[in-house]
Amino acid sequence: MIVLGIETATLVCSVAVVTADKMLAEYTQQAKKTHSERLLPLIDSLLKDIGLKVNDLNGIAVAAGPGSFTGLRIGMVTAKSLAQVLDIPLYGVPTLEALAAQHPHFPGIISPILDARRKQVYNALFLPAEEPQRLTAERALPLTDLLQELEQEREKVLFVGDAVPVYRQLIKEKLGDRAHLLPAEASICRAATVARLGLKRMSAGCTHSWHDLVPFYVRLSEAERKYLRSLKEGGDFC
Amino acid sequence: MEKKLILGLETSCDETAAAVVAEGREMLSNVIASQIKEHQKYGGVVPEVASRKHLEIVNIIVARALQEANCTFSDLAAIAVTNGPGLVGALLVGVNCAKTLAYALGKPLVAVNHVLAHVAANYLVHEVIFPAVCLVVSGGHTSLLYLTSRSQAVLLGGTRDDAAGEAFDKIARVLDLGYPGGPAIEKAAAEGNPKAFNFPRAFSGQDDILEFSFSGLKSAVINNLHHMRQKGQSFSVSDVAASFQEAVIDILVEKTVLAAAAKQVKTVLLAGGVAANNLLRERLEKSLQNDGRTLLVPPASLCTDNAAMVAAAGWDFYVSQKFAGLDLNATPVLDKIWQAD
Ligand SMILES: [Zn+2]
């Protein structure tokens, strides 16, 4: 089974092709160009460079969120459209799970954090493994709340994700030596891991359909939140 | 020989649409999923909500368009997609869907300007003789174009601020008539006196200006309402709606007639969502007839956003082999000139 992995949940654009026991290639870049301009050209050159045609693909795995709303949609509509035309299985891998799966042997808890703007991070906690074991659901919360939660624990905590460089100082202040931070290149989410997890699930017969796969946004849109709040308060919306 | 088929895709605002059109004229399918209900409670289109809805349904709409046209992906000659102007997040869903379909199928991709697509709705139902002038009026655009062929257009003038349709939406909201504003205002205006209020008509009588401005008109209506409400004065909503609509139509007709005369064309086209307004059609037709010109208007179903018009416009770019690359992006702004050949 040859699986294409797509990761566009953050500013990083990453694509990879894997088989059950090999990573054939992975291109990962963080440049000024938008995902819309980069993604397909990157897939095209990756396939060409390893001598594959798009029809050789047997499955598509895509990072399904949370992450940047627009980034997620570009990755997902690309994945869905490939699955539709090629008539092959599709799997949406939770972004935070893929981040955690990149560090299967850490002795402690893994805490991926992605910048969610509005002074919050997207987070879920995992126990390390090749297929990480989830301790919490995905959520968006202020980092200080997360750190308070982690202060109750005794274990070491590994932080990965694009919010790590932003909050390095604060994390060290609150958790001291228990906090383990990775250098930039080890902290980004990579398509090879997305592809590996997707391939595992798809080989086990667990697939999503291009008919109904949507991103795990975690958050409602601004307008929906305001609208719901207005219903609760019984006030005027506009 | 078999006719060449183009699959069109449209996601620039709040309709997710796909259609199959043969050789730029013959509509084989035209599937539209409208999100109007989703946005009604917010009083207008919410970009993030629109983008999410597009992604949920775009691939299904594509499948349905093929099914209704009784064809498969491999029967297509090319994929055409609206890449602007419009809501960026919404456009990106259609653009990336179309790019991927084209890439996976190994077929050419054509990028279509949304305003030119509105014009092309006419080609699906009329035999157009060029040169012609076209007025495109919708929630997003108010543009006068000079067309020398299906694939050559020059922008004569646009709006300096709001689009006409945007003004309709805003005034409908302040009058509590609901969303979308165009049909709501037209309905309320039918029982009102169009001369009850004298609202401003920007650039009226200025024959050297082929542009529009609706922000002054919008403020005038809102200020008037504000004063009347403050003084506890009673007024007729229908009269306000009718007088507002009259001001918009007056200026649209005046500038279009002016453009047609300046370019000495025999044919004038009307396009865009606001073209569904009956009074606008009647008034424009009459004024043009006096000068010996003909007005062509697509049926109402092809005036609002759809993908058949995108596939029709895309045909001309396909014929002249003006293809887009895999790095195609959404472009929210409008160019001044379009040329396929
Ligand atoms: Zn439109």
Side-chain angles (χ1 to χ4, degrees), chain B residues 137-141 163-167 169 273-274:
Chain B
V137 252
S138 70
H141 327 281
E166 221 174 323
D169 284 342
V274 181

Side-chain angles (χ1 to χ4, degrees), chain A residues 65-87:
Chain A
S68 134
F69 295 163
T70 304
L72 288 175
R73 277 192 287 269
I74 289 172
M76 190 150 287
V77 81
T78 303
K80 286 170 70 153
S81 305
L82 282 171
Q84 181 180 17
V85 171
L86 303 171
D87 194 19

Side-chain angles (χ1 to χ4, degrees), chain B residues 85 113 115 133-146 154-166 202-204 206 208-215 251-252 255-256 258-259 333-338:
Chain B
N113 181 291
V115 176
V133 157
C134 183
L135 171 69
V136 185
V137 252
S138 70
H141 327 281
T142 312
S143 313
L144 270 169
L145 306 175
Y146 176 58
V154 178
L155 183 68
L156 297 174
T159 172
R160 293 200 181 165
D161 36 65
D162 309 318
E166 221 174 323
F203 311 134
S204 177
Q206 290 171 263
D208 53 329
I209 298 181
L210 281 179
E211 288 184 301
F212 304 94
S213 165
F214 295 103
S215 67
I251 202 70
L252 289 175
K255 295 298 175 189
T256 307
L258 197 61
V333 287
L334 183 64
D335 280 334
K336 284 257 188 299
I337 295 171
W338 303 280

Side-chain angles (χ1 to χ4, degrees), chain B residues 71-294:
Chain B
C71 70
T72 63
F73 278 122
S74 56
D75 296 327
L76 300 173
I79 318 281
V81 64
T82 304
N83 76 318
L87 302 169
V88 169
L91 287 164
L92 281 171
V93 174
V95 165
N96 283 282
C97 178
K99 283 203 291 189
T100 310
L101 297 178
Y103 173 66
L105 291 165
K107 314 252 174 180
L109 173 75
V110 177
V112 173
N113 181 291
H114 185 76
V115 176
L116 269 198
H118 272 303
V119 178
N122 280 286
Y123 308 146
L124 292 164
V125 283
H126 301 299
E127 199 59 54
V128 177
I129 296 163
F130 296 98
V133 157
C134 183
L135 171 69
V136 185
V137 252
S138 70
H141 327 281
T142 312
S143 313
L144 270 169
L145 306 175
Y146 176 58
L147 312 155
T148 46
S149 76
R150 277 182 59 139
S151 55
Q152 305 252 6
V154 178
L155 183 68
L156 297 174
T159 172
R160 293 200 181 165
D161 36 65
D162 309 318
E166 221 174 323
F168 271 99
D169 284 342
K170 176 74 189 174
I171 299 306
R173 205 177 320 162
V174 296
L175 290 175
D176 276 326
L177 293 173
Y179 173 85
I185 294 267
E186 189 177 7
K187 200 172 151 214
E191 281 128 44
N193 172 11
K195 298 205 160 42
F197 299 86
N198 187 20
F199 293 128
R201 284 123 169 101
F203 311 134
S204 177
Q206 290 171 263
D207 287 2
D208 53 329
I209 298 181
L210 281 179
E211 288 184 301
F212 304 94
S213 165
F214 295 103
S215 67
L217 168 62
K218 229 168 62 177
S219 321
V221 177
I222 292 168
N223 288 341
N224 248 288
L225 286 171
H226 187 71
H227 284 143
M228 289 188 292
R229 277 171 182 156
Q230 224 170 23
K231 286 189 201 151
Q233 217 171 305
S234 70
F235 61 91
S236 143
V237 167
S238 296
D239 285 353
V240 177
S243 304
F244 162 74
Q245 180 179 258
E246 188 77 358
V248 175
I249 290 178
D250 275 352
I251 202 70
L252 289 175
V253 171
E254 179 182 330
K255 295 298 175 189
T256 307
V257 167
L258 197 61
K263 290 291 173 189
Q264 297 183 302
V265 298
K266 287 256 171 279
T267 310
V268 175
L269 312 176
L270 187 58
V274 181
N277 185 295
N278 290 309
L279 194 63
L280 172 62
R281 289 179 186 221
E282 282 165 28
R283 292 269 309 276
L284 191 55
E285 186 157 40
K286 219 187 237 165
S287 302
L288 289 166
Q289 261 168 4
N290 292 340
D291 297 348
R293 300 183 223 282
T294 316

